[in-house]
């Protein structure tokens, strides 16, 4: 006797079949929805990261630029011995016929140039942008121990609170002063074990001195000059000359513009201008100036026309900045860089408000 066993066809069919087309389509749609959501979150996070980084770049550049620039503005025209003394400048360029270079021009310890006037001594300034120059005396740990009593004295003995002695170098531009008088000159020799400083005439270093005497003179500067009544403990300071401007940094992928400072330095004994990049991404720089007897801020043309740079007691500084990163702004301008503008007012400490 034989038996036939039949397996239900329905059960066999359902146990061996794959996904239906509808199920496959639903799975694909759900997968695409999940992938799209994850991709959207990732892109949003990336955009947020780039925006945050761009804003950080702008804020950091603005903070560094304003802090360092404001430091120079506050110190502009400052003299360690007091700001109401007479300043004698025996540097050759300060007594030549014609315009005195800004880095030696103590009569204009604060001066601005408009966009039509290029800053002398720099080669990368952006055309049509403003600049600002400032001079001051930076106090040091050095002082005058003894000054010669001869009329045509060209030397004195320097002391220092530093056990290793003073750090002055040949060619330094210095300012010595007491409660009545100050003298700007170039040191020509720091030889001798007694700390003697020589400030002779001649062309050993540039720009050189027109006189040996440190005293106030009237008329032309002469070789022997006038003796100054400097006594022991007379202050010796370094002459600080700085200028701020907007320059081409040579990096077009970052926007190509940066905030620069150029300052007077000692290069192998000769005075020279050294350029320092302060903050990249600064696209515009402008200044306005407040006079002692007014409440308004004026542009440089107005101050120059009135010949009142000595009366400027506060400066309004405005900067426009763009991020270094591109394609992070909703605007198509400036390659999609994020932009911000800042303005700050800084008072000059040596001049009353």
């Amino acid at each position: 006797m034989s038996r036939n066993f039949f397996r239900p066809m329905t059960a066999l069919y359902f146990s061996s079949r794959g996904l239906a087309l509808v199920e496959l389509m639903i799975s694909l749609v759900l997968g695409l929805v999940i992938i799209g959501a994850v991709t959207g979150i990732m892109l949003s996070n990336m955009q947020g990261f780039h925006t945050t980084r761009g804003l950080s770049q702008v804020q950091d550049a603005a903070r560094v630029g304003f802090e360092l620039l404001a430091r120079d503005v506050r110190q502009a025209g400052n003299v360690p011995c007091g700001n109401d003394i007479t300043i004698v400048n025996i540097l050759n360029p300060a007594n030549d016929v014609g315009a005195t270079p800004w880095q030696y021009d103590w009569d204009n310890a604060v001066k601005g140039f408009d966009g039509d006037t290029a800053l002398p001594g720099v080669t990368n300034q952006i055309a049509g942008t403003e600049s600002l120059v400032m001079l001051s005396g930076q106090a040091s740990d050095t002082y005058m121990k003894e000054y010669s009593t001869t009329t045509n004295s060209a030397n004195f003995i320097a002391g220092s609170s530093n056990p290793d002695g003073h750090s002055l170098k040949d060619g330094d531009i210095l300012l010595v002063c007491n409660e009545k008088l100050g003298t700007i000159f170039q040191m020509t020799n720091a030889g001798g074990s007694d700390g003697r400083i020589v400030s002779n005439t001649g062309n050993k270093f540039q720009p050189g001195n027109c006189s040996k005497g440190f005293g106030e003179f009237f008329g032309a500067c002469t070789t022997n000059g006038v003796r100054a009544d400097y006594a022991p403990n007379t202050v010796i300071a370094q002459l600080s000359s700085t200028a701020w401007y907007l320059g081409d940094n040579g990096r077009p992928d970052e926007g190509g513009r940066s905030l620069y400072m150029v300052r007077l330095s000692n290069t192998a004994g000769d005075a020279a201008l050294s350029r320092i990049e302060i903050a990249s991404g600064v696209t515009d720089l402008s200044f306005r100036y407040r006079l002692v007897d007014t409440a308004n801020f004026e542009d440089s043309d107005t101050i120059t026309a009135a010949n009142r740079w000595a009366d400027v007691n506060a400066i309004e500084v405005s900067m426009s900045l763009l991020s270094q990163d591109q394609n992070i702004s909703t605007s198509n301008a400036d390659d999609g860089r994020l932009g911000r503008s800042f303005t700050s007012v800084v008072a000059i400490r040596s001049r009353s408000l």
Side-chain angles (χ1 to χ4, degrees):
M1 175 175 154
S2 63
R3 297 181 180 178
N4 294 322
F5 296 92
F6 297 96
R7 190 170 184 180
M9 294 299 297
T10 303
L12 180 62
Y13 170 77
F14 281 107
S15 64
S16 61
R17 74 169 185 166
L19 289 174
L21 180 59
V22 175
E23 295 172 324
L24 179 60
M25 293 180 64
I26 293 174
S27 300
L28 290 175
V29 170
L30 291 175
L32 289 174
V33 170
I34 294 173
I35 293 174
V38 172
T39 302
I41 294 173
M42 182 182 68
L43 292 176
S44 178
N45 288 340
M46 290 179 61
Q47 183 65 24
F49 168 76
H50 288 302
T51 301
T52 301
R53 186 171 70 172
L55 184 60
S56 177
Q57 290 170 351
V58 170
Q59 291 176 335
D60 286 347
R63 176 180 55 81
V64 172
F66 272 111
E67 285 187 2
L68 296 180
L69 176 54
R71 184 182 304 173
D72 279 350
V73 172
R74 295 188 188 101
Q75 290 297 109
N78 182 64
V79 179
C81 303
N83 300 308
D84 296 324
I85 66 175
T86 300
I87 299 295
V88 177
N89 193 336
I90 63 172
L91 294 175
N92 281 324
N95 295 276
D96 288 341
V97 177
T100 301
W102 63 264
Q103 60 267 35
Y104 308 123
D105 190 4
W106 186 266
D107 292 336
N108 290 296
V110 176
K111 187 175 182 180
F113 296 94
D114 62 17
D116 297 328
T117 305
L119 177 65
V122 302
T123 58
N124 68 330
Q125 184 180 9
I126 302 296
T129 59
E130 299 182 21
S131 56
L132 174 66
V133 303
M134 291 161 288
L135 280 69
S136 65
Q138 291 187 338
S140 65
D141 57 3
T142 311
Y143 57 93
M144 188 183 293
K145 291 173 61 176
E146 179 184 326
Y147 183 57
S148 175
T149 58
T150 59
T151 302
N152 59 343
S153 172
N155 62 79
F156 58 88
I157 296 176
S160 175
S161 58
N162 188 336
D164 297 328
H166 66 75
S167 59
L168 302 179
K169 302 186 296 295
D170 292 353
D172 281 352
I173 306 295
L174 304 178
L175 187 157
V176 296
C177 62
N178 57 23
E179 71 281 1
K180 296 180 180 179
L181 182 68
T183 306
I184 298 173
F185 65 98
Q186 185 173 32
M187 185 176 78
T188 59
N189 188 16
S193 58
D194 58 353
R196 189 170 299 278
I197 302 297
V198 179
S199 58
N200 217 330
T201 57
N203 58 0
K204 181 178 181 180
F205 298 117
Q206 295 298 323
N209 304 308
C210 65
S211 175
K212 301 176 183 179
F214 283 1
E216 186 176 7
F217 57 88
F218 302 93
C221 180
T222 60
T223 300
N224 287 334
V226 179
R227 182 183 178 276
D229 292 325
Y230 287 128
N233 297 324
T234 293
V235 174
I236 302 176
Q238 294 268 4
L239 178 66
S240 171
S241 300
T242 60
W244 291 79
Y245 68 99
L246 197 63
D248 184 351
N249 60 24
R251 302 189 298 273
D253 291 342
E254 296 179 6
R257 295 188 175 195
S258 291
L259 177 66
Y260 280 87
M261 177 184 72
V262 61
R263 67 182 179 187
L264 188 65
S265 62
N266 186 338
T267 304
D270 291 334
L273 295 175
S274 300
R275 187 176 69 195
I276 304 171
E277 183 180 359
I278 300 299
S280 62
V282 181
T283 59
D284 193 26
L285 176 68
S286 62
F287 305 96
R288 294 200 306 159
Y289 309 89
R290 181 185 185 275
L291 297 173
V292 293
D293 53 0
T294 66
N296 298 325
F297 285 83
E298 307 290 349
D299 59 24
S300 59
D301 288 340
T302 302
I303 307 299
T304 299
N307 193 25
R308 297 196 62 185
W309 286 109
D311 296 327
V312 172
N313 61 7
I315 301 176
E316 179 188 84
V317 184
S318 297
M319 289 186 199
S320 295
L321 302 96
L322 291 174
S323 63
Q324 299 172 21
D325 294 342
Q326 303 179 22
N327 303 318
I328 58 176
S329 172
T330 56
S331 172
N332 293 325
D334 301 314
D335 297 322
R337 290 183 167 90
L338 189 66
R340 293 290 187 273
S341 296
F342 303 90
T343 299
S344 179
V345 175
V346 186
I348 300 176
R349 289 174 177 169
S350 62
R351 302 178 181 181
S352 59
L353 290 175

